[in-house]
Amino acid sequence: MASQSKLKILNDPIYGFITVPSDRIFKIIEHPYFQRLRRISQMGLSYLVYPGAHHTRFHHALGCVHLMQKAVRVLRYKGVEISAKEEEALLIAILMHDIGHGPFSHAMEHTLVEGVDHESISLLFMQDLNGKFNQSLTLAIDIFKGSYNRKFMNQLISSQLDMDRLDYLKRDSFYTGAVEGNINSERLITMLNVVDDQLVIEEKGIYSVEKFLIGRRLMYWQVYLHKTSLVAEQLIIRVLKRAKELISEGKELHCSTALSFFLNNPVTLENFDAKTLEMFARLDDNDVISAMKEWMHCEDFVLKNLCEMIINRDLLKVKIKKKKPSAEKMEQRSLALQKKYGISEHEASYFVFDGKIENQAYKREKDNIHILHKNGKISDVVKVSDQFNLKALTNTVTKYYMCYPKVKD
């Protein structure tokens, strides 16, 4: 058998070689729960807009580990004490922070499970693996939950300037080709420090923080909230919703065992037991894609057409405006569709709908990005920055969308 040490270097297109620092972390990566992330797209259906966006949650998690290793080195160099045990726990926590993502992530949170977010499922996976790994993940779980007494460690995992954001903005920018998100994560990490158990950025890193926040705003409008990605995600939510509706009426739909379990059983955080977790671990993007390929040929008008739209990328028309579309306009579109295809108002509602999107690049309520001045004073980044736009980034920008079928002869 080959020595494991030969397997501990991975080549990443963003950072070059990434080293896996311990046998325990290597074994977590090898575990089927984690390997499943190879089959979960990082950006859902964004590849329908940006053909290169086929990278996975697996890529992203490893990138986060690499950045966390750098952050620990920088902080230690500046005199912040981080023990070997704490370092490994930080690496495990960031490695597993997204392990609870399901197929097409946010679409799943609205349909396959009821009000259970991916963070809660990540925690369930971590607790399950803690049992399998002899309780050696306990400190990582405490850091992930924010219950460990060193607050800055949780901020490295989850805050407005964490390793998660530093990786996904740079990675998503690379794979989509949207250069606006190409932030300087290396410089931001080099500028990190800790004061009074709070993560801070040294004053000379201010311009990198400004670029990070502006890059985040632009990536949301240009990539994450792109109107085609938006409508594709809405369609997949409606596919799963319609499938659940048909099954509840006694219709039979062919799909994988794992997907069938979630379509047939209402799942909440309260009843998310060991069997549910095992089924969830079997679920990935492939289950949903293969089901839609099958359902394209079913008899139900709604499900058939929704699946065809996604599989063949013949999506609904989307209009994004500053004002909410009028009820009259929505009704007009719905009636036209009902008349054309002889369908009910309820069935038409799957194709004619509206909603809103929000973008706030920087939230000032909690975990603000703090700048450390040379004189030791600490200020919020917005107060320090001479970038006029930065204050505007704290405002929530709301836009409204309206989706309806394209007119076909």
Side-chain angles (χ1 to χ4, degrees), residues 16 98 102 105 113 138 175 180 249 299 332 408:
D98 269 353
S105 304
V113 292
T138 303
Y175 281 99
E180 290 78 6
E249 292 169 3
E299 290 177 8
Q332 195 182 346
K408 292 181 180 176

Side-chain angles (χ1 to χ4, degrees), residues 277-291:
L277 191 68
E278 185 196 333
M279 278 296 177
F280 191 85
R282 291 168 58 178
L283 198 61
D284 58 50
D285 290 5
N286 297 327
D287 295 77
V288 178
I289 294 282
S290 61

